Amino acid sequence: MPDLDIETILAAQSGDEDASRVILERLQRPVLATIYRFLGTRFRKDAEDIAQDIFLKVFRAIGRFDPERGVKFTTWVYTFVRNHCFDILKKRRLKTTSMSAAGEDGDSWDLPDEGVRQPDAHIVNDELGSAIREALGGLGDDQRMVFVLREYEGLDYASIAQVMGISQGTVKSRLHRAKETLRDRLQPYLRAGA
Amino acid sequence: MSQDRQHPAGRPHDGEPHDGIWPGEAEWLRWEPPFEPSADFSDRVLGAMGSDRSTPSDGEAKDDIPQDDITLPRHILDAFEVPEPSPDFVERTFAAVWSDVGGSDHTVDDAAVGPPDEEAWEDRLDAYGVPAPSASFVTRTLAAIQAERGGGERDVQPPRPVRMHVVKSGARSGWAAAAAAAVLVGLGLFWWMSNRNGASDGPNDADLVVQAFVPPAADHSPTLTAIAMARVLDPSEQIAAAPDPLLLLAAGELGR
């Protein structure tokens, strides 16, 4: 996603209404999509309220954003998204299914057993969507956020590292493990696609 | 583990305080712990602590950890679709942001916001569910009713009669009439004493009292006074209609 131009950001920092609206319109979809994909469907009804809270925080703090520090504005906003979503999970004590537990107990997954059947073509979209949602939900919070930022939002490693507060090497290793897990979980669909 | 470590108390040590029973501090520090955790102990503990089990084994970019080299098919990832923002999301959020940051001249565009989402309210109401009665609720309740009925076949008690407020009559009403008559006589006597020396130029005390309660335009005619007296003296009116102090005062004219 192309970053917002510096003039718009500076204008919003000075309280310009139009510039603020431009920022909001530009970022509404990626912010909502990240919330939705990271928190999962159980937060579907709350996604817009959560996004609104995040934008409130962003605009309260927009005066502190310093373009000279080499951080993209969108990356800065994703930091708010990440922190707010992690806070929500922490407060609601949402328990995510761990991949290692699933590996020990395959019955906890709704995916079809290997070799039993292949996804039918006419229902593959719904089933695939459900499968990828559940597979993502089975990842750990850090892995899931890294994966969503990389694969869905298109952030580069450096930006993800800034959002997550980790090194780029850790970003890569978490991405690798997340994809490894998803590949195992989505094996029937990968074979069908091949 | 060596034999002297298992029995250190009597082992001599050069240059260290040793009481012959307990080892010195330097000797404690040289000992190996009685047992060591297995190599994967810390990994297992850390893995059990957090919801993100990948964290302890990420290796923080160690060389032996494979990098991001797996490519998942795009069509699979794209199957995770997300809903579009509501048409009024920007307007609502902008109104909230603008009021929060102190902007004062922004007004919400009602046309852009549109009507309230009734379905959203229904969803929220549906989410506020109540638990269904337990499966044994009816059975337990019926059993309790049966037990109570079989416990003594008690007669059904009639409802407790409600005591209605009734007007007092008889002796009490007689006392009330006597008290009202005494007040009347007292007022008349007061008026008569204040006027027995003849009419004066200004109003006397009784007139002032009466005028204080009766509007100037009030009818001071003997007819009104007679009606008031009749009401005061009629026993049937004494309780149903409380003595009117204005009329009682006006009735003092009779004693003139």
Side-chain angles (χ1 to χ4, degrees), chain A residues 15-17 20-21 24-25 28-29 32-33 36-37 45 48-49 51-52 55-56 59-60 98 100 128-129 132-133 136 140-143 147 151-152 157 169-170 172-177 179-180 182-183 186 190, chain B residues 51-55 57-61 65-98 100-101 105-107 123-124:
Chain A
D16 184 79
E17 183 173 343
S20 301
R21 185 183 291 274
L24 189 57
E25 289 176 347
Q28 58 163 334
R29 281 183 176 80
L32 270 168
Y36 189 76
R37 287 193 172 106
K45 297 186 188 309
E48 291 196 357
D49 290 339
Q52 196 171 89
F55 279 117
L56 281 171
F59 280 96
R60 281 173 192 160
S98 72
S100 55
L128 190 56
I132 184 65
R133 282 195 297 270
L136 262 180
D141 296 343
D142 290 322
Q143 281 188 9
F147 183 85
E151 297 297 326
Y152 286 109
Y157 296 131
T170 305
K172 293 176 183 176
S173 63
R174 285 183 182 174
L175 269 173
H176 174 83
R177 294 188 184 280
K179 290 179 180 178
E180 201 173 42
L182 293 175
R183 186 178 58 187
L186 299 169
L190 292 172
Chain B
S51 60
D52 182 7
R53 293 177 182 243
S54 68
T55 303
S57 57
D58 272 346
E60 296 294 330
I65 298 297
Q67 300 299 294
D68 178 25
D69 55 358
I70 299 175
T71 302
L72 295 174
R74 197 66 229 172
H75 75 278
I76 290 182
L77 300 181
D78 289 343
F80 191 169
E81 298 175 346
V82 294
E84 281 289 304
S86 303
D88 62 343
F89 174 75
V90 170
E91 189 64 28
R92 284 189 295 111
T93 305
F94 188 75
V97 167
W98 204 246
D100 183 67
V101 299
D105 56 346
H106 176 73
T107 55
D123 291 340
R124 291 173 188 271

Side-chain angles (χ1 to χ4, degrees), chain A residues 152-189:
Chain A
Y152 286 109
E153 300 306 317
L155 270 65
D156 54 27
Y157 296 131
S159 296
I160 297 172
Q162 289 171 336
V163 170
M164 301 294 293
I166 55 179
S167 68
Q168 290 191 44
T170 305
V171 170
K172 293 176 183 176
S173 63
R174 285 183 182 174
L175 269 173
H176 174 83
R177 294 188 184 280
K179 290 179 180 178
E180 201 173 42
T181 301
L182 293 175
R183 186 178 58 187
D184 294 341
R185 303 294 302 276
L186 299 169
Q187 198 59 242
Y189 303 96

Side-chain angles (χ1 to χ4, degrees), chain B residues 145-212:
Chain B
I145 293 173
Q146 291 291 341
E148 185 172 340
R149 284 180 176 172
E153 292 291 340
R154 288 176 294 200
D155 296 335
V156 177
Q157 298 293 325
R160 183 180 178 182
V162 179
R163 290 178 178 269
M164 302 296 290
H165 179 72
V166 295
V167 176
K168 298 292 189 298
S169 60
R172 290 191 180 182
S173 61
W175 279 108
V183 170
L184 181 62
V185 171
L187 283 173
L189 182 61
F190 170 70
W191 183 86
W192 176 77
M193 290 180 67
S194 62
N195 290 279
R196 64 181 175 177
N197 293 328
S200 60
D201 293 337
N204 55 42
D205 295 338
D207 287 333
L208 289 174
V209 171
V210 170
Q211 288 170 7

